[in-house]
Amino acid sequence: MRKLVFSIAAVCALSASAAQPNDTVNAGLYRLFSPLTFYHNVSANMLAINSMNSDADEAVDRALMNVYLNRPDLVEATETQLQESGSLREDIDMPIAQTVELVEQVAPMPDEPEVVPAAEVEVTKPKFWTKKGDGFLQFMQNYVSDNWYKGGESTYSLLGSLTLEANYDNKGKWKWDNKLEAKLGFLTAKSDSLHKWKSNEDLLRLTSKLGLQASKRWYYTLQLLAWTQFARGLKSNDHRTYSDFFSPFNLNVGLGMDYKVEAFDKKLTGTVNLSPIALNYRYVDRTLFPNQNSATPKDFSWFPSRHGIDNEEHYKLDPGSQITADLTWKLNENVTWKSRFWAFTSYERAEIEWENTFQLKVSKYITANIFLYPRFDDGNAPDDDLGYWQFKEYTSIGLSYSF
């Protein structure tokens, strides 16, 4: 019955609209398609003497009134309920109208370039070289008065050291490490009546290693070592010269493997080199080590071998094998241990050197050093007490700087 009533009302409304082809469809037709609602103005429009509604609105009103009177059970809501529920947008009072700007002619689109310029790319050259260095200047002093009850004498010494490194690593297969070390120290003592100053630390050494990576930590390596000293080597109250610049001069070339050390969370770092094939060249520039003022300048009985070189000779060439280790262990924030171990054997003689420097950081620019240096060399005459072993030790404090 409900469908029939709405069908009749719709036909009537559409017929009225068709009778007026120039009129727009009345907005009141939405009431035919929305849920059936009791509108207050339907009865008011039906009882009005002069109705201002269109024929379509009157047809819809008659259809709704017919339903209100005959089937009130179909009515789902009232106009009062709709007003209480509110509208969808209460904040909009006026209809929104879009402003359209009209122009006589549309501006032409710009032509795109045929070739788009390439973006500028900044290429940074990789830094394969790393350079660093450190040095210190330290002073050592010991004063003893002439009437000191235990005896002894006052000594003063000055020590300077400089280490420079330039290392190449192409982050691939090749690396080239270079280190230059220079140390020079002087000592004065009242008991030495012949020399006002004499050297107590003297070293000029170059270490160069060219490596081709074999695995993560191993490299095939060609190593070159060259070292000599700056000044004459003297002893207290002795006119003889025991060493000098290029007397001796050592040049060592070794072929082998190099191992990169990283342990204890990288606190222990360095390298260990094994060279089963090595060649050691030693040269002495001075013809005679005894001073020419000596009463017997050509008498070598007191010094039977000059650094392993026979008398009247200037050089010696020894093939053999060697091991080299250069390690740095940062024990804590203030204490660092630097160690260098070198051992060479020609299978007829052997040389072993183990340099140890314990560095205590007092402040940013002040450090204290303890240096321990045992050495073995059976190419020289043995000592009555130590045999072929030699030992050197000193402590110092002074300025230091790293860069």
Side-chain angles (χ1 to χ4, degrees), residues 18-19 28 54 65 67 74 83 86-87 134-135 160 166 199 202 207 222 228 282 321 323 349 356 373 392:
S54 63
M65 180 59 71
V67 175
L74 298 177
Q83 293 175 353
S87 61
D134 62 77
S199 62
D202 198 349
T207 304
L222 177 64
T228 184
R282 176 168 292 173
S321 302
I323 299 174
R349 67 178 185 88
N356 298 275
Y373 186 6
K392 187 176 187 179

Side-chain angles (χ1 to χ4, degrees), residues 29 65 84 114 126 135 142 165 168 173 181 231 260 269 372:
L29 294 177
M65 180 59 71
E84 291 177 354
E114 295 181 359
N142 176 41
E165 293 187 43
Y168 174 86
K173 292 292 185 179
E181 301 168 88
K260 184 178 181 180
T269 59
L372 305 175

Side-chain angles (χ1 to χ4, degrees), residues 162 164 179-183 203-207 225-230 326 340 342 353 355 373:
L162 178 65
L164 302 175
K179 179 191 286 187
L180 178 63
E181 301 168 88
K183 290 183 180 180
L203 175 66
L204 178 62
R205 180 169 59 208
L206 172 66
T207 304
L225 298 173
W227 68 95
T228 184
Q229 62 190 63
F230 292 98
D326 196 346
R340 177 187 177 271
W342 177 74
E353 297 179 350
E355 302 174 30
Y373 186 6

Side-chain angles (χ1 to χ4, degrees), residues 124-129:
T124 303
K125 185 179 180 180
K127 295 182 179 180
F128 296 143
W129 284 95

Side-chain angles (χ1 to χ4, degrees), residues 348-383:
E348 293 181 355
R349 67 178 185 88
E351 288 185 49
I352 301 174
E353 297 179 350
W354 189 21
E355 302 174 30
N356 298 275
T357 302
F358 294 89
Q359 186 179 78
L360 172 63
K361 185 177 180 181
V362 179
S363 65
K364 185 177 181 180
Y365 298 113
I366 299 178
T367 59
N369 289 342
I370 300 176
F371 182 73
L372 305 175
Y373 186 6
R375 187 177 186 274
F376 177 89
D377 185 0
D378 59 3
N380 288 319
D383 182 76

